[in-house]
Amino acid sequence: MPRLSRYVGINYGTQFSASPSADQVVALLRRQSITNIRLYDANGTILQALAHTGIQVMVTVPNTELLSVGQSNASAVNWVNTNVLAYLPATNITAICVGTEVLTTDPNAALVLVPAMKYLRVALLASNLSANIKISTSNDASLILDSFPPSQAYFNKSLTSSILVPMLDFLNSTGSFFMLNIYCYDIYKKSNGVILLDYALLNPITPDNVVTDSNTLFQYHNLFDAVLDACYFALAQLKYSTLPVVISEAGWPSGGDSSDKEATDENASTFISNLIAHVLNNSGTPKRPHTTVSMYIMELFNEDLKVSSASAKNYGLFNGSTLHPIYSLRLSNAGPLLANDTTTQLYCLAKSGASQDELQIALDWACGIGRANCTAIQPGQLCYEPDTVQAHASYAFNNYYQKNNRVSGSCDFNGVATISTTNPSTGVCMYPGSSSNGTSNLTSANTMANFTSGNSTNLTTADGNSNNTSSSTSLLYGISSFSLSPFHILFSLLVVLSFTSLF
């Protein structure tokens, strides 16, 4: 069996109300250095936009078309001609996924799954494309029964002889791969507390929480490896122990309904960041150590129109309307992959030429009622220089903007602020959100929830300590720093009170 090259790709579903153009989507993929994409159909517009990019594309025969494709060789040839040949060689189509989770969701289509795969293979052979385009189908992990301990896992026996064995034989004989969807969040949630959150998130766990397979004595430090090994053991039971496995879907939702307590930006960031690092370090699993595993992240955008659970609609990395990241990732040793927008490359800065008085008022509001962390621009601190209203306002505005998740309206300040993609950090003064500041995770809290009318503001200093600074001191920070007249002080306070109502 040929060794597959390792990659981290992404799934692209289109069931969302936002409508970015195909060119915008492809530009985003290129900016994020995403080399592999899986489509849930064979959309001609996106396939054309992917031309000459070199991005490897997996197209999909939707379940709704599977019955037709699986009925005759002629229908399969027509599908290949329309959805593959029409875009080659400009678009780099490298695989066809025949249906999605057919064996566990669509019993009628399951009957023609293997015939459809074979007909498509014949169509590719006729066009001399079989060596370059692989055929497979995605499978839900629920197809694997009795999955713990992993060593005793096996595939659903009602499907084994009739569908699974012929399918696995096809994959093995054509040099293809088995596709598996692993949803650690769903498994964690259904466990009702039996599975530790850190174990599901691939976080470090204590030795007493490491899970041991009593049959093999393999030790599992995370849920992902345990599920993947269950698949490896199930394949081995059917004598396909060397068949490669590609993770066709894996992710963590950043939102959901009241039952999805752990579907948060923070957990989504943690899971995706940890999973990418785990896949790219080539450590493999206890059963297949150092075995190359490739995967497709679930998914590029949230799909709010998907007919499914609330959490299933919130697996996206990016907002389909703005193309901005929904949360930040903490990646290391991943090269350029997802190293642009997902590392907080937007900043809120004071507008050039804005009135000094208006900037001062906005600065006072941000450091006071706005609860921005203005410690770094206090005298003697790292961002005090240059000692100008413009520079200090930019720091405060950006801190407020990043703290409030870059939501719409959080970079306005009565018209004296603007969003910029230029990193304003200089020397030792690192702006929150800059890449050298680490990829701080952003959470999707309501902006107004960060405002209080109390008398204190918690400011976190550079060393991580929290200072309880009175609002009045923060509010007057800019005034005392720039030695304004008593009349100016009174005027500023009055305007700040009215300015507050704008938020």
Side-chain angles (χ1 to χ4, degrees):
M1 181 62 59
R3 184 178 178 86
L4 295 177
S5 59
R6 179 189 59 192
Y7 59 82
V8 173
I10 199 161
N11 287 285
Y12 175 44
T14 57
Q15 298 183 64
F16 49 81
S17 52
S19 55
S21 70
D23 288 338
Q24 288 177 314
V25 172
V26 171
L28 176 64
L29 295 173
R30 300 184 75 175
R31 191 163 63 244
Q32 300 304 322
S33 299
I34 293 171
T35 59
N36 295 71
I37 184 171
R38 175 180 170 227
L39 309 181
Y40 285 99
D41 52 22
N43 183 283
T45 303
I46 189 68
L47 286 173
Q48 286 181 331
L50 285 163
H52 308 295
T53 64
I55 295 173
Q56 296 186 38
V57 184
M58 179 184 290
V59 295
T60 297
V61 179
N63 291 7
T64 54
E65 298 178 22
L66 192 53
L67 288 173
S68 173
V69 173
Q71 285 180 351
S72 70
N73 184 57
S75 59
V77 168
N78 181 63
W79 196 94
V80 169
N81 288 341
T82 303
N83 300 292
V84 178
L85 286 177
Y87 303 100
L88 296 176
T91 301
N92 189 18
I93 299 174
T94 58
I96 300 174
C97 178
V98 186
T100 302
E101 298 184 344
V102 176
L103 297 182
T104 50
T105 63
D106 199 336
N108 291 327
L111 298 175
V112 298
L113 175 61
V114 176
M117 297 172 77
K118 290 182 176 179
Y119 285 141
L120 290 167
R121 167 78 173 173
V122 171
L124 292 177
L125 282 167
S127 299
N128 199 30
L129 294 171
S130 59
N132 300 323
I133 301 177
K134 300 303 179 184
I135 296 173
S136 189
T137 183
S138 71
N139 300 280
D140 184 67
S142 63
L143 185 65
I144 305 166
L145 304 181
D146 201 12
S147 57
F148 189 82
S151 60
Q152 66 186 33
Y154 59 91
F155 287 117
N156 188 328
K157 292 182 178 179
S158 67
L159 300 170
T160 300
S161 60
S162 59
I163 300 175
L164 266 173
V165 169
M167 182 188 78
L168 294 173
D169 187 59
F170 171 85
L171 298 177
N172 192 59
S173 64
T174 60
S176 190
F177 42 83
F178 185 83
M179 294 172 65
L180 181 67
N181 298 343
I182 299 181
Y183 283 96
C184 290
Y185 174 77
D186 289 343
I187 299 171
Y188 162 79
K189 183 179 178 182
K190 291 174 183 176
S191 77
N192 292 318
V194 173
I195 295 176
L196 292 177
L197 179 60
D198 282 337
Y199 184 75
L201 292 173
L202 284 83
N203 274 335
I205 57 175
T206 59
D208 57 328
N209 287 320
V210 173
V211 178
T212 302
D213 185 318
S214 57
N215 298 319
T216 61
L217 299 184
F218 288 159
Q219 292 192 322
Y220 292 92
H221 295 258
N222 63 75
L223 179 60
F224 179 84
D225 280 355
V227 176
L228 183 52
D229 261 5
C231 178
Y232 288 152
F233 275 105
L235 287 171
Q237 188 186 67
L238 297 178
K239 312 302 182 185
Y240 295 95
S241 58
T242 61
L243 186 65
V245 174
V246 170
I247 307 304
S248 39
E249 297 175 15
W252 193 281
S254 60
D257 58 26
S258 58
S259 68
D260 296 302
K261 305 296 185 184
E262 303 300 342
T264 66
D265 286 358
E266 173 65 27
N267 287 340
S269 170
T270 298
F271 178 83
I272 295 296
S273 300
N274 287 343
L275 183 58
I276 290 175
H278 185 56
V279 167
L280 293 183
N281 70 14
N282 206 32
S283 59
T285 67
K287 179 166 176 55
R288 291 192 187 180
H290 309 298
T291 296
T292 295
V293 177
S294 295
M295 73 166 179
Y296 293 87
I297 299 170
M298 188 68 184
E299 59 183 322
L300 190 60
F301 301 119
N302 282 341
E303 294 190 87
D304 59 309
L305 300 183
K306 182 183 288 186
V307 181
S308 189
S309 65
S311 62
K313 300 178 181 182
N314 288 279
Y315 273 84
L317 294 186
F318 296 89
N319 183 304
S321 296
T322 66
L323 303 186
H324 295 163
I326 294 173
Y327 52 83
S328 297
L329 297 176
R330 308 181 188 92
L331 300 179
S332 60
N333 300 320
L337 176 69
L338 294 168
N340 189 356
D341 289 341
T342 50
T343 52
T344 319
Q345 298 288 328
L346 297 177
Y347 304 87
C348 180
L349 307 178
K351 281 185 177 178
S352 177
S355 162
Q356 295 290 294
D357 288 347
E358 290 178 338
L359 284 176
Q360 182 68 63
I361 292 166
L363 170 61
D364 293 339
W365 186 92
C367 294
I369 296 172
R371 300 176 68 88
N373 183 351
C374 297
T375 303
I377 51 176
Q378 299 292 337
Q381 298 300 313
L382 296 178
C383 296
Y384 180 69
E385 298 292 344
D387 182 13
T388 65
V389 177
Q390 181 88 18
H392 289 191
S394 286
Y395 186 93
F397 294 171
N398 184 65
N399 188 280
Y400 175 87
Y401 176 61
Q402 304 295 347
K403 178 180 178 182
N404 288 285
N405 315 317
R406 300 182 299 184
V407 296
S408 177
S410 61
C411 183
D412 182 74
F413 294 94
N414 210 20
V416 297
T418 186
I419 295 173
S420 173
T421 57
T422 302
N423 187 343
S425 301
T426 57
V428 295
C429 178
M430 304 305 300
Y431 274 54
S434 63
S435 57
S436 296
N437 217 24
T439 52
S440 59
N441 192 52
L442 305 179
T443 56
S444 56
N446 186 303
T447 305
M448 296 304 293
N450 292 317
F451 302 158
T452 65
S453 57
N455 294 324
S456 65
T457 300
N458 287 322
L459 301 178
T460 304
T461 61
D463 60 5
N465 296 322
S466 179
N467 294 337
N468 200 349
T469 307
S470 70
S471 278
S472 58
T473 301
S474 296
L475 184 65
L476 293 175
Y477 150 73
I479 297 171
S480 60
S481 178
F482 292 97
S483 303
L484 301 177
S485 67
F487 173 78
H488 197 159
I489 294 174
L490 178 60
F491 174 77
S492 295
L493 288 173
L494 289 174
V495 179
V496 167
L497 291 176
S498 65
F499 186 78
T500 304
S501 65
L502 297 175
F503 293 80

